[in-house]
Coordinates of all heavy atoms in Angstrom, one line a residue:
S112 N -0.5 22.2 7.4 CA -1.6 23.1 7.3 C -1.4 24.5 7.8 O -2.2 25.3 7.7 CB -2.7 22.5 8.3 OG -2.2 22.5 9.6
S113 N -0.1 24.8 8.2 CA 0.2 26.1 8.6 C 1.2 26.8 7.6 O 2.3 26.4 7.5 CB 0.9 26.1 10.0 OG 0.1 25.4 10.9
P114 N 0.7 27.8 6.9 CA 1.6 28.5 5.9 C 2.7 29.2 6.6 O 2.7 29.4 7.8 CB 0.6 29.5 5.3 CG -0.8 29.0 5.6 CD -0.7 28.3 6.9
A115 N 3.8 29.5 5.9 CA 4.9 30.1 6.4 C 4.5 31.5 6.9 O 3.5 32.1 6.4 CB 6.0 30.3 5.4
P116 N 5.2 32.1 8.0 CA 4.9 33.4 8.5 C 4.8 34.4 7.4 O 5.7 34.5 6.6 CB 6.0 33.7 9.5 CG 6.5 32.3 9.9 CD 6.3 31.4 8.7
G117 N 3.7 35.1 7.4 CA 3.5 36.2 6.4 C 3.0 35.7 5.1 O 2.8 36.5 4.2
A118 N 2.8 34.4 4.9 CA 2.3 33.8 3.6 C 0.9 33.3 3.8 O 0.5 32.9 4.9 CB 3.3 32.7 3.2
T119 N 0.2 33.3 2.7 CA -1.1 32.7 2.7 C -1.2 31.6 1.7 O -0.7 31.8 0.6 CB -2.2 33.8 2.4 OG1 -1.9 34.4 1.2 CG2 -2.2 34.9 3.5
A120 N -1.8 30.5 2.1 CA -1.9 29.4 1.1 C -2.9 29.7 0.1 O -4.0 30.1 0.4 CB -2.2 28.1 1.9
A121 N -2.6 29.4 -1.1 CA -3.6 29.6 -2.2 C -3.6 28.4 -3.1 O -2.5 27.8 -3.4 CB -3.3 30.8 -3.0
T122 N -4.7 27.9 -3.6 CA -4.7 26.8 -4.5 C -4.0 27.2 -5.8 O -4.4 28.2 -6.5 CB -6.2 26.4 -4.8 OG1 -6.8 26.1 -3.6 CG2 -6.2 25.2 -5.8
P123 N -3.0 26.5 -6.2 CA -2.2 26.9 -7.4 C -3.1 26.7 -8.7 O -3.9 25.8 -8.8 CB -1.0 26.0 -7.4 CG -1.4 24.8 -6.6 CD -2.4 25.4 -5.6
A124 N -2.8 27.5 -9.7 CA -3.5 27.4 -10.9 C -3.2 26.1 -11.6 O -2.1 25.6 -11.5 CB -3.1 28.6 -11.8
G125 N -4.2 25.6 -12.3 CA -3.9 24.4 -13.1 C -4.2 23.1 -12.4 O -3.9 22.1 -13.0
T126 N -4.7 23.2 -11.2 CA -5.0 21.9 -10.5 C -6.3 21.3 -11.0 O -7.2 22.0 -11.6 CB -5.1 22.2 -9.0 OG1 -6.2 23.1 -8.8 CG2 -3.8 22.7 -8.4
S127 N -6.4 20.0 -10.8 CA -7.6 19.3 -11.2 C -8.5 19.0 -10.1 O -8.1 19.0 -8.9 CB -7.2 17.9 -11.9 OG -6.5 18.1 -13.0
T128 N -9.8 18.8 -10.3 CA -10.7 18.4 -9.3 C -10.4 17.0 -8.9 O -10.3 16.1 -9.7 CB -12.1 18.5 -9.8 OG1 -12.4 19.8 -10.2 CG2 -13.1 18.1 -8.7
A129 N -10.1 16.7 -7.6 CA -9.7 15.4 -7.1 C -10.9 14.4 -7.4 O -12.0 14.7 -7.3 CB -9.4 15.4 -5.6
G130 N -10.5 13.2 -7.7 CA -11.5 12.2 -8.0 C -10.8 11.1 -8.8 O -9.7 11.2 -9.1
V131 N -11.6 10.0 -9.0 CA -11.1 8.9 -9.8 C -10.7 9.4 -11.2 O -11.4 10.0 -11.9 CB -12.1 7.8 -9.9 CG1 -11.7 6.7 -10.8 CG2 -12.4 7.2 -8.5
G132 N -9.4 9.1 -11.5 CA -8.9 9.5 -12.8 C -8.2 10.8 -12.8 O -7.6 11.2 -13.8
S133 N -8.3 11.6 -11.7 CA -7.7 12.8 -11.6 C -6.2 12.6 -11.5 O -5.7 11.7 -10.9 CB -8.2 13.7 -10.5 OG -9.6 14.0 -10.7
I134 N -5.4 13.6 -11.9 CA -4.0 13.5 -11.7 C -3.6 13.9 -10.3 O -2.8 13.2 -9.6 CB -3.3 14.5 -12.7 CG1 -3.5 14.0 -14.1 CG2 -1.8 14.6 -12.4 CD1 -3.1 15.0 -15.2
L135 N -4.2 15.0 -9.8 CA -3.9 15.4 -8.4 C -5.0 15.0 -7.5 O -6.2 15.1 -7.8 CB -3.8 16.9 -8.4 CG -2.5 17.6 -8.7 CD1 -2.7 19.1 -8.9 CD2 -1.4 17.3 -7.7
T136 N -4.7 14.5 -6.3 CA -5.7 14.3 -5.3 C -5.8 15.6 -4.5 O -5.0 16.5 -4.6 CB -5.3 13.2 -4.3 OG1 -4.1 13.6 -3.5 CG2 -5.0 11.9 -5.0
S137 N -6.9 15.7 -3.7 CA -7.1 17.0 -2.9 C -5.9 17.2 -1.9 O -5.5 18.3 -1.7 CB -8.4 16.9 -2.2 OG -8.5 15.8 -1.3
G138 N -5.4 16.1 -1.4 CA -4.3 16.2 -0.4 C -3.1 16.6 -1.1 O -2.3 17.5 -0.6
Q139 N -2.8 16.1 -2.3 CA -1.6 16.6 -3.1 C -1.7 18.1 -3.5 O -0.8 18.8 -3.4 CB -1.4 15.7 -4.3 CG -1.0 14.3 -4.0 CD -1.2 13.4 -5.2 OE1 -1.8 13.7 -6.2 NE2 -0.5 12.2 -5.1

Side-chain angles (χ1 to χ4, degrees):
S112 63
S113 303
T119 56
T122 301
T126 58
S127 296
T128 302
V131 171
S133 297
I134 294 169
L135 277 167
T136 67
S137 58
Q139 290 166 345

